[in-house]
Amino acid sequence: MKNKRTLQTRPVFIILSILYVIALYFFYFKYIPIVKPFQIILVPILLIVFVLTLISIQWGTLFFIFSFPLINNLSYFFGIDEYIPHAPTALVLFLFFFLGWMVHNAFFKSGYSTGHPIFKPMMLLSFLIAVSGTITFLRYTNFFPFRSDYVYELITNVYGVTAGGAIMSIVFNSLNYLTGFAFLFILFSTIQSKEFVKKAIVVLCSATVLSLFFGLYQHFKDMKFGNNPSGIMGELINATFKDALSFGAYVAIVIPLILGVFFAFKGFIRTLS
C-alpha cells in the first residue's frame, strides 16, 4: 500500500485520462437519461467508486465488485425501462471505476504488469473487437464524415431498428467486451495476496445474498418491484439484474464459485458461501 501513496506523475496516463474524460462526458449525456431522481441516486454511487479507486485501487475494486450485482435494475425504479434506450447501469459504473484507475495511475505509483499469459489473448481479442466495432460503427453511419454529410436514420432490420439504434447497440456491445477484459486486467494486477482474495469473495457473496433476497421478495410479494415490462408480462424474476436471463446467467456462474469457496476456505467465508 505504501508504494501506491508515492506521488509519481505519468504524462502518458494524464493525457489518456483527459481524452477518456472527454469521451465519457459525451457518452454520459448521449446514452444516460438525465432524469433527476435517477441521477440523484446514480451520481453519488459513481463518485464513490471513482474516489475510492483514486485513493486505493483495492478499495475501488472491492466497491465495484459489491455494487456490480446490485445496480443493474436501478433505472427501473424511475420509469426508465427496457423500451427507453439507455446505457446499462453496471457498464456506467465500470466506466467511472476505470476512470479512477487511470487517474490513480497518472499521479501515483501503482504496480501493474502485462506479463501474465492470459493478457496476450485478451489484448488480441480486444484489438479485434475494437477494429470490428469501429468498422461496423462507420458502416451504419454511412462512413460519416468521410462519405456522407450526416447520419441517415435508415431502417437496418425487420424489427425497424434505425441506424441510430444499431450504432447504440454496437457501442454497448463493444464496451461490454472491452470493459470485461479491462476489469480482468485490473483484477489480476490488484490481487497481490490471499487476504485480498478473501475480501473480494466476502464482498461478492454479500452482494449475491442481497440480490437473492431481492429476488425472493419479487417472487413472494411484488413481481413488479424493480422489474422490467417483459419480465412482468412473463412473470419472470430479474432480482437486481437487467432481466431474468441476466439473473439466471449470474446464478449459473456464481454457484460453482461459491461451491469452490465452501471447500477451499474455513470460518466465516465458508458459512457465508
Side-chain angles (χ1 to χ4, degrees), residues 31-39 72-87 89 227-229:
Y31 293 120
I32 302 175
I34 309 301
V35 177
K36 188 174 180 179
F38 176 55
Q39 292 292 327
N72 296 272
N73 69 333
L74 179 63
S75 60
Y76 299 155
F77 293 98
F78 305 96
I80 307 171
D81 55 39
E82 57 189 352
Y83 297 119
I84 299 176
H86 64 282
T89 311
N227 209 340
N228 55 17

Side-chain angles (χ1 to χ4, degrees), residues 124-140:
L124 176 60
L125 286 172
S126 298
F127 174 76
L128 293 176
I129 292 167
V131 171
S132 176
T134 301
I135 294 174
T136 311
F137 180 93
L138 291 173
R139 184 167 65 86
Y140 280 118

Side-chain angles (χ1 to χ4, degrees), residues 1-2 4 133 156 164 172 189 195 201:
M1 294 297 291
K2 291 182 179 179
K4 295 183 180 181
T156 61
F172 293 168
S189 301
E195 289 302 316
I201 290 173

